Amino acid sequence: MSINQIGLTNDNAQPVINALNNLLSSYHIYYINVRGYHWNIKGEHFFSLHAKFEELYTQLQLQIDEIAERILTLGGVPLHAYSDFASHTSMNEDKNVHDGRACVEGLVKGLRHLIEEQRTLAALAEEAGDQGSVDLVSGYVQEQEKLVWMYNAFLG
């Protein structure tokens, strides 16, 4: 039984690496969606939402990097091609959205997708004895749950 650089067996780490690569893929698709909302928003809430979308995609860039680095820490290789991202996620692209309300609805839908995926990953990592991955995604879930509440407050 081989042990990786942080003391986990490779057999236990591999399912977590696979799940993290799926999550990395979901984050990339969500990031692209949020960039699209930022670029294409129109309407009465343009100024406030344009700034919020930029804030969110900037945070997503940091999280994408942290997820990729976690995969490397576990001894894996992070996916890095769009074609791989598209085939390793069930997150949908949200194309040609311009209306502020529709953009926020897309944000909430994407956040819920990420939260669900991260909860599943946390359970898998816990089973593998991978506290670092549990902690990483648990922090994301906590932040994203608050964002869901705030964006739903905007939607009324």
Side-chain angles (χ1 to χ4, degrees):
M1 190 178 322
S2 59
I3 304 293
N4 70 13
Q5 63 186 352
I6 60 170
L8 297 174
T9 67
N10 288 325
D11 288 345
N12 285 346
Q14 193 56 55
V16 178
I17 291 167
N18 294 342
L20 283 165
N21 262 318
N22 292 342
L23 182 63
L24 181 65
S25 299
S26 295
Y27 265 82
H28 271 281
I29 300 302
Y30 189 59
Y31 169 82
I32 291 167
N33 288 345
V34 176
R35 278 308 283 255
Y37 301 149
H38 173 76
W39 290 331
N40 297 308
I41 178 109
K42 293 182 171 126
E44 66 178 298
H45 298 291
F46 170 83
F47 289 105
S48 59
L49 290 177
H50 184 75
K52 281 311 235 183
F53 298 156
E54 183 173 5
E55 182 182 307
L56 182 55
Y57 76 67
T58 300
Q59 180 64 32
L60 290 167
Q61 288 174 322
L62 297 172
Q63 292 167 324
I64 285 168
D65 194 54
E66 290 171 344
I67 294 165
E69 289 174 352
R70 186 65 194 167
I71 293 166
L72 291 163
T73 299
L74 291 170
V77 176
L79 299 174
H80 60 274
Y82 182 81
S83 58
D84 289 333
F85 300 146
S87 67
H88 284 87
T89 184
S90 59
M91 174 85 66
N92 293 318
E93 293 177 315
D94 202 3
K95 298 179 184 179
N96 301 316
V97 180
H98 306 282
D99 174 71
R101 182 173 188 82
C103 290
V104 173
E105 288 169 350
L107 282 181
V108 170
K109 182 178 177 184
L111 286 168
R112 286 182 179 152
H113 179 101
L114 292 175
I115 290 167
E116 180 181 331
E117 189 171 347
Q118 290 164 144
R119 286 177 178 157
T120 300
L121 191 150
L124 180 67
E126 181 92 36
E127 188 177 304
D130 179 7
Q131 192 60 46
S133 294
V134 172
D135 291 346
L136 179 70
V137 298
S138 294
Y140 295 165
V141 167
Q142 185 176 11
E143 292 171 21
Q144 292 162 353
E145 287 172 339
K146 184 175 180 180
L147 288 174
V148 167
W149 162 70
M150 290 192 297
Y151 287 123
N152 276 325
F154 173 86
L155 293 170

